[in-house]
């Protein structure tokens, strides 16, 4: 197994070196005369196409290996090593791009914009972790995602976040996903890429504000396990839901739970569920009434949040460059601002009429009204279902890893005495 | 009682399995549609570059590799 692991790593490194040897710039910069010096870019240079296929191959290999390490080998140490290698490759070597998290926006834009399309490699980057999650759980989060790895690395003194607080904070991830979909679908902006808190670390350059936010996440991450993954990651929202359907998943114990309670506090992400055999009759009746109330409340929440979403059109539509330009031109024409901006100068140079621009901006703003209704309604549904989930009781006889919340990091393995028995048996078999 | 619990469990497993393969089918169908769209756009000669000039339909002055390729393919068609 170890030999196979080294071979895989060596192959990946050699492929990367070969590709860089044959690399040439697809879009060379213009040749300026004089002493002009090209500024240093904050985004990575374009890569040759073959690199993208190498990335997909490495992603597939890493996901397969992560599945093996979490479900079959059950080794936290091996998962950690793979996680570090993924951080080096996808984070520092490939500078965090392409990543499945950001690919959400490309996919959404290609669905809504008839003239936009994504390369097959980007589609695969988006799809592969989802397909693996459907079968093996969140192995992508466990050992492949560089954003997760950088947070996992700094977790030194985990404190447990109360369930109600964690559930409430998770709504932020849904909100983030909703906004990212809204801005991508309307062609306004790629929010996830713009506000990626860790990409500045990978590229060793970038926006100072985002660098500070990234540092804050890492500081919080010293005590709260993977705060970005748990409470903000929009891709994590999708992975959580698909993980509920996974065919195989991480179990704390390799065979049967002896209810020793040693694993009770083992998970820094609060993903271990305690046994719940029977609820007291009074609690049960109360929960039933609460669910009936929530079923009636959900349509109200959908309507209210949808309405709220549509009301935000003036704020949200400002993310669209055309709307922003129209507002700027309006202010300049009305004499409410001094000077001009590059976009407004460029617009005037085109010779288009201002009325045309205003018409275009108002059409875009109307799109935001519709999108606000749909996505606000979605948020209302999510809030309603979250409230419902708190009231639902599910029988559990053993300590279990939460299907949605478990990121398959493997920390709980060593807490289980049955795991130690298994390892001992394995050792004896080998010797 | 154990039998009833077992039935509920297997029914749940069945639904989860059905949902899993439905989700898988949906993802695959979506990926296939995106691939077909890309192919179609390329055939139409529309630039599918992901950069700032995406969506631009004016190929005459464009020196990007995809534009050059599109121009070459269209000239081949013109020549029969």
């Amino acid at each position: 197994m170890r030999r196979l692991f080294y071979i895989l790593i060596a192959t990946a490194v050699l492929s990367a070196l070969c590709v860089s040897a044959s690399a040439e710039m697809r879009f060379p910069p213009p040749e300026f005369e004089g002493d002009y010096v090209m500024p240093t870019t904050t985004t990575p240079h374009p890569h040759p196409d073959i690199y993208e296929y190498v990335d997909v191959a490495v992603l597939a290999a890493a996901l397969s290996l992560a599945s093996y390490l979490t479900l079959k080998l059950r080794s936290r140490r091996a998962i950690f090593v793979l996680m570090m290698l993924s951080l080096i490759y996808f984070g520092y070597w490939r500078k965090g791009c392409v990543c499945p998290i950001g690919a959400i926006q490309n996919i959404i834009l290609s669905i809504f914009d008839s003239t936009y399309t994504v390369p097959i490699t980007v589609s695969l980057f988006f799809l592969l972790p989802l397909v693996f999650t459907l079968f093996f759980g969140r192995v992508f989060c466990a050992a492949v995602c560089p954003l997760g790895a950088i947070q996992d690395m700094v977790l030194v003194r985990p404190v447990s976040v109360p369930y109600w607080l964690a559930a409430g904070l998770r709504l932020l991830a849904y909100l983030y996903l909703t906004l990212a979909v809204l801005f991508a679908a309307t062609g306004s902006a790629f929010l996830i890429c713009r506000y990626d808190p860790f990409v500045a670390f990978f590229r060793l350059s970038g926006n100072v504000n985002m660098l500070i936010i990234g540092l804050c996440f890492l500081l919080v991450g010293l005590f709260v396990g993977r705060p970005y993954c748990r409470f903000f990651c929009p891709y994590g929202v999708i992975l959580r839901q698909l993980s509920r359907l996974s065919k195989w998943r991480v179990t704390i114990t390799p065979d049967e739970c002896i209810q020793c309670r040693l694993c009770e506090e083992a998970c820094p992400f609060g993903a271990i569920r305690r046994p719940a055999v029977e609820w007291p009759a009074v609690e049960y009746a109360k929960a039933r009434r609460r669910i009936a109330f929530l079923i009636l409340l959900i349509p109200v929440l959908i309507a209210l949040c949808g309405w709220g979403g549509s009301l935000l059109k003036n704020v949200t539509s400002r993310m669209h460059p055309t709307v922003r330009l129209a507002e700027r031109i309006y202010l300049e024409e009305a004499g409410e601002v001094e000077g001009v901006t590059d976009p407004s100068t460029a617009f005037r140079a085109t010779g288009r009429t201002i009325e045309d621009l205003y018409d275009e901006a108002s059409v875009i703003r109307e799109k935001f009204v519709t999108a606000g209704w749909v996505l606000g309604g979605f948020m209302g549904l999510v809030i309603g279902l979250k409230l419902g989930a708190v009231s639902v009781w599910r029988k559990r006889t053993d300590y279990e890893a939460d299907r949605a919340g478990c990121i398959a990091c493997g920390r709980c393995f060593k807490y289980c005495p049955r795991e130690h028995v298994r390892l001992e048996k394995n050792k004896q078999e080998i010797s | 009682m154990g039998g009833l619990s077992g039935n509920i469990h297997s029914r749940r497993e069945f639904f989860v399995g059905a949902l899993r393969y439905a989700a898988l089918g949906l993802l695959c169908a979506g990926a296939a549609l995106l691939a077909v769209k890309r192919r179609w756009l390329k055939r139409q000669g529309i630039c599918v570059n992901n950069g700032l000039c995406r969506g631009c339909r004016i190929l005459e002055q464009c020196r990007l590799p995809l534009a050059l390729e599109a121009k070459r393919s269209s000239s081949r068609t013109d020549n029969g």
Side-chain angles (χ1 to χ4, degrees):
Chain A
M1 177 58 217
R2 190 169 286 180
R3 189 177 292 173
L4 178 70
F5 181 70
Y6 288 133
I7 290 170
L8 267 175
I9 299 300
T11 313
V13 172
L14 280 175
S15 323
L17 289 175
C18 293
V19 170
S20 66
S22 67
E24 58 179 62
M25 291 186 81
R26 283 172 69 198
F27 311 120
E31 287 171 12
F32 291 103
E33 287 177 359
D35 54 356
Y36 181 79
V37 179
M38 285 295 288
T40 313
T41 52
T42 54
T43 50
H45 286 293
H47 297 285
D49 284 349
I50 193 160
Y51 242 142
E52 294 172 9
Y53 291 98
V54 172
D55 286 345
V56 173
V58 174
L59 177 71
L63 286 166
S64 309
L65 198 55
S67 308
Y68 174 77
L69 297 178
T70 50
L71 301 177
K72 191 81 181 158
L73 196 65
R74 292 173 60 87
S75 164
R76 165 68 190 159
R77 191 177 297 172
I79 293 169
F80 186 81
V81 170
L82 181 60
M83 194 175 75
M84 288 299 106
L85 291 173
S86 297
L87 175 64
I88 293 165
Y89 185 82
F90 293 110
Y92 289 99
W93 178 255
R94 302 295 290 120
K95 311 235 181 264
C97 193
V98 171
C99 81
I101 307 169
I104 296 172
Q105 303 162 116
N106 301 79
I107 299 291
I108 292 292
L109 184 59
S110 67
I111 291 169
F112 284 91
D113 185 343
S114 60
T115 60
Y116 182 79
T117 178
V118 284
I120 188 81
T121 47
V122 175
S123 303
L124 286 173
F125 246 81
F126 176 73
L127 282 175
L128 277 175
L130 300 182
V131 172
F132 270 80
T133 305
L134 276 175
F135 288 93
F136 309 109
R138 294 172 63 179
V139 289
F140 172 73
C141 303
V144 186
C145 177
L147 277 70
I150 199 168
Q151 293 170 86
D152 210 295
M153 212 170 58
V154 299
L155 178 62
V156 287
R157 204 169 186 82
V159 293
S160 68
V161 181
Y163 179 73
W164 60 269
L165 182 60
L169 286 173
R170 264 200 299 276
L171 281 175
L172 292 172
Y174 285 91
L175 184 66
Y176 194 17
L177 176 67
T178 307
L179 287 174
V181 168
L182 171 70
F183 294 132
T186 52
S188 307
F190 277 9
L191 200 69
I192 300 170
C193 299
R194 192 181 286 185
Y195 298 109
D196 186 329
F198 302 113
V199 82
F201 294 104
F202 300 147
R203 293 176 187 171
L204 305 174
S205 71
N207 187 313
V208 178
N209 293 338
M210 287 318 298
L211 192 69
I212 293 168
I213 293 174
L215 274 174
C216 291
F217 269 114
L218 291 182
L219 279 175
V220 174
L222 291 170
F223 309 103
V224 178
R226 296 196 183 200
Y228 180 79
C229 302
R230 286 162 74 195
F231 309 129
F232 290 94
C233 181
Y235 197 60
V237 168
I238 307 170
L239 293 177
R240 277 181 73 85
Q241 303 314 320
L242 293 185
S243 182
R244 291 180 201 278
L245 308 176
S246 64
K247 193 171 174 69
W248 298 282
R249 63 198 163 111
V250 165
T251 53
I252 304 165
T253 177
D255 37 43
E256 57 173 331
C257 178
I258 54 169
Q259 309 225 348
C260 61
R261 299 180 60 186
L262 287 172
C263 65
E264 213 167 54
E265 304 296 331
C267 184
F269 313 112
I272 292 179
R273 300 280 166 263
R274 294 172 187 195
V277 182
E278 273 186 39
W279 266 11
V282 183
E283 282 280 314
Y284 186 68
K286 208 191 278 180
R288 249 185 6 183
R289 275 201 299 275
R290 201 184 303 155
I291 287 174
F293 171 70
L294 281 171
I295 288 170
L296 296 173
L297 187 70
I298 285 176
V300 181
L301 280 171
I302 293 173
L304 269 178
C305 292
W307 182 59
S310 70
L311 285 183
L312 288 173
K313 65 169 183 178
N314 287 344
V315 182
T316 49
S317 64
R318 258 181 218 136
M319 284 293 273
H320 199 286
T322 308
V323 177
R324 237 182 4 249
L325 176 65
E327 286 191 349
R328 176 72 200 185
I329 295 282
Y330 175 80
L331 292 174
E332 282 176 15
E333 292 295 313
E336 291 180 28
V337 287
E338 281 180 18
V340 288
T341 60
D342 286 343
S344 63
T345 311
F347 169 74
R348 288 196 176 92
T350 62
R352 277 182 65 200
T353 62
I354 294 175
E355 284 70 30
D356 265 1
L357 178 69
Y358 289 166
D359 286 345
E360 196 184 337
S362 62
V363 169
I364 292 167
R365 210 165 245 179
E366 282 313 305
K367 275 187 193 168
F368 274 85
V369 176
T370 317
W373 270 106
V374 174
L375 296 171
F378 169 73
M379 271 312 291
L381 179 68
V382 168
I383 294 168
L385 292 177
K386 281 261 170 205
L387 289 171
V390 178
S391 312
V392 171
W393 174 77
R394 283 191 67 180
K395 188 177 175 180
R396 259 189 307 268
T397 49
D398 298 329
Y399 282 86
E400 284 175 9
D402 180 42
R403 278 199 165 216
C406 174
I407 58 156
C409 68
R411 279 186 175 85
C412 56
F413 297 156
K414 68 176 180 191
Y415 287 83
C416 181
R418 301 292 302 168
E419 176 70 11
H420 290 276
V421 172
R422 183 187 77 93
L423 291 174
E424 200 57 43
K425 261 189 198 166
N426 282 359
K427 260 186 201 168
Q428 281 170 5
E429 274 173 20
I430 291 165
S431 63
Chain B
M1 191 65 198
L4 182 65
S5 160
N7 280 345
I8 291 169
H9 184 72
S10 62
R11 202 180 304 151
R12 186 179 293 151
E13 285 297 308
F14 170 76
F15 282 120
V16 167
L19 276 173
R20 181 189 312 124
Y21 290 107
L24 186 67
L26 201 69
L27 289 173
C28 292
L33 276 176
L34 288 179
V36 168
K37 183 185 173 186
R38 185 174 175 81
R39 229 180 140 78
W40 183 80
L41 283 176
K42 271 190 168 178
R43 275 196 188 155
Q44 297 290 312
I46 297 169
C47 178
V48 290
N49 173 42
N50 293 321
L52 294 171
C53 60
R54 76 177 172 80
C56 170
R57 288 156 197 255
I58 306 162
L59 299 174
E60 280 76 22
Q61 299 302 317
C62 189
R63 305 294 302 163
L64 291 173
L66 282 171
L68 294 174
E69 194 185 315
K71 273 187 273 189
R72 263 199 303 275
S73 64
S74 62
S75 68
R76 270 203 299 271
T77 317
D78 292 343
N79 293 335

